[in-house]
């Protein structure tokens, strides 16, 4: 039987085999933390639209890259970034019009109650902050995720990313449920998945943590893509919310129109999330991410601890 491989191992170059040239240079610089796609890593030198070009001149149709949403080197993006970086690039402790222009445009796409947005540089930072807010609001510490979820790489978020853990067990405050597919739940995925989440909530209660949050990417991309039927996620989310927990919609992969049916993945399921986190496609490749929350929820968190992000929401990202 073949060994099950986690999402972070699926396309990685085996660094233990070493390498020459550009591969050796990368391994010497990043060491054990180096992650390279494909058995034979590709050195990319240019990209435009849906095409990428390698050092040897080979052109690749980019079916994989999960960062650009309007194509590589889009002329309007290039023009906007170039003009802004030549004019002003500072931080959000200053008032800069283009930053608030961006935030107000983003908020027109979000659920009405999510009117505060905290800007970060990565989805990891956004999910880290979201869990902290959920704990402050709920007064609980437990988190429910799916069995091979990946939500980022800060210390806190790694704890709720089973696919990132190679040897360490999940901490006591994290409980997993099987991904929402027919293999685990049969034909009635909605009822089966809800029952699994409720059972996880009961486990967290027994352990003395309670459920602060159910954290899920609405297409479950790290678990293998479970998008349908539309609406199946709603009963599980409602069960968590009825118990006082928050649903954190991790939109780093499905957000910004990527499901095709709606601007956000959670919209396909008719969900009103408590928190939305976003990243990757947000800046079409420029480091940009954020967390959207209700003002009262964010205020509860900020009563206890301050938060700012030097590079999050800088004017070039907003442009």
């Amino acid at each position: 039987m073949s060994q099950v491989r986690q999402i972070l191992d699926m396309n990685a170059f085996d660094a233990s085999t070493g390498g020459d040239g550009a591969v050796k240079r990368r391994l010497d610089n990043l060491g054990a933390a180096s992650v390279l796609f494909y058995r034979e890593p590709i050195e990319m030198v240019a990209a435009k639209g849906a095409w990428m070009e390698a050092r040897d001149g080979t052109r690749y149709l980019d079916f994989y890259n999960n960062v650009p949403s309007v194509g590589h080197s889009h002329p309007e993006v290039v023009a906007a970034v170039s003009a802004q970086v030549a004019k002003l690039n500072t931080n959000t402790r200053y008032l800069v019009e283009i930053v608030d222009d961006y935030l107000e445009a983003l908020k027109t796409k979000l659920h009405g109650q999510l009117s505060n947005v905290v800007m970060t540089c990565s989805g990891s930072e956004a999910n880290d902050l979201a869990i902290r807010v959920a704990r402050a609001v709920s007064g609980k510490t437990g988190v429910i995720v799916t069995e091979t979820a990946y939500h980022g790489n800060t210390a806190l978020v790694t704890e709720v990313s089973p696919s990132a853990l190679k040897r360490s067990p999940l901490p006591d405050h994290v409980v997993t449920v099987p991904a929402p597919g027919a293999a685990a739940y049969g034909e009635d995925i909605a009822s089966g998945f809800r029952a699994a989440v409720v059972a996880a909530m009961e486990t967290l209660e027994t352990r003395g943590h309670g459920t602060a949050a159910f954290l899920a990417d609405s297409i479950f991309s790290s678990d293998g893509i479970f998008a349908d039927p539309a609406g199946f996620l709603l009963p599980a989310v409602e069960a968590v919310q009825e118990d006082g927990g928050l649903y954190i919609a991790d939109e780093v992969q499905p957000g910004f129109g990527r499901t095709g049916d709606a601007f956000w993945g959670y919209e396909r399921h008719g969900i009103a999330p408590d928190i939305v986190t976003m990243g990757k496609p947000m800046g079409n490749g420029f480091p940009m991410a954020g967390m959207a929350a209700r003002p009262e929820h964010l205020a509860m968190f900020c009563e206890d601890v301050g938060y700012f992000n030097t590079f999050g929401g800088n004017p070039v990202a907003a442009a």
Side-chain angles (χ1 to χ4, degrees), residues 4-289:
V4 175
R5 300 175 68 193
Q6 299 284 38
I7 188 70
L8 295 183
D9 296 328
M10 289 301 289
N11 289 318
F13 165 71
D14 184 359
S16 67
T17 63
D20 300 312
V23 172
K24 182 180 185 301
R25 185 182 185 190
R26 175 62 61 83
L27 295 177
D28 287 346
N29 286 326
L30 266 64
S34 178
V35 176
L36 291 167
F37 292 154
Y38 314 116
R39 293 184 179 90
E40 297 294 331
I42 303 170
E43 183 179 1
M44 292 298 185
V45 296
K48 187 173 183 179
W51 293 89
M52 304 183 76
E53 183 177 337
R55 173 70 68 185
D56 65 4
T58 303
R59 296 178 75 236
Y60 294 89
L61 182 60
D62 186 6
F63 279 99
Y64 184 88
N65 200 302
N66 59 355
V67 178
S69 271
V70 295
H72 295 280
S73 307
H74 192 291
E76 291 187 27
V77 175
V78 171
V81 168
S82 301
Q84 189 61 47
V85 78
K87 180 180 181 182
L88 174 68
N89 192 28
T90 183
N91 57 66
T92 52
R93 272 90 75 198
Y94 295 102
L95 295 170
V96 181
E97 185 177 24
I98 196 167
V99 174
D100 288 289
D101 287 345
Y102 178 86
L103 291 171
E104 288 167 357
L106 176 65
K107 284 162 56 176
T108 65
K109 302 291 188 181
L110 288 161
H111 187 268
Q113 294 179 311
L114 304 177
S115 59
N116 281 175
V117 181
V118 179
M119 303 302 292
T120 65
C121 301
S122 69
S124 296
E125 291 175 322
N127 280 328
D128 186 298
L129 180 58
I131 293 171
R132 294 162 66 192
V133 170
R135 286 177 169 175
V137 172
S138 67
K140 304 172 184 178
T141 58
V143 180
I144 300 169
V145 293
T146 47
E147 287 180 343
T148 53
Y150 177 76
H151 293 290
N153 55 25
T154 68
L156 176 59
V157 180
T158 296
E159 292 181 343
V160 297
S161 297
S163 68
L165 301 175
K166 296 181 179 180
R167 291 186 294 184
S168 301
L170 288 170
D172 193 62
H173 64 269
V174 179
V175 174
T176 64
V177 294
Y185 304 111
E187 294 184 3
D188 191 354
I189 294 173
S191 296
F193 191 63
R194 181 189 183 279
V197 169
V198 169
M201 292 165 58
E202 292 170 351
T203 298
L204 286 170
E205 195 66 38
T206 299
R207 293 179 182 178
H209 300 291
T211 303
F214 169 44
L215 171 60
D217 159 0
S218 60
I219 58 169
F220 301 88
S221 53
S222 297
D223 293 275
I225 311 298
F226 295 91
D228 296 310
F232 79 79
L233 190 55
L234 179 60
V237 168
E238 289 179 333
V240 172
Q241 291 173 328
E242 288 168 5
D243 188 59
L246 277 64
Y247 171 53
I248 302 171
D250 183 340
E251 292 286 332
V252 172
Q253 295 283 11
F256 292 83
R258 286 181 160 187
T259 66
D261 296 311
F263 197 80
W264 305 107
Y266 68 78
E267 289 180 295
R268 295 185 66 249
H269 295 290
I271 292 169
D274 300 288
I275 297 175
V276 173
T277 56
M278 59 203 88
K280 295 189 188 300
M282 195 172 184
N284 204 56
F286 195 94
M288 188 181 193

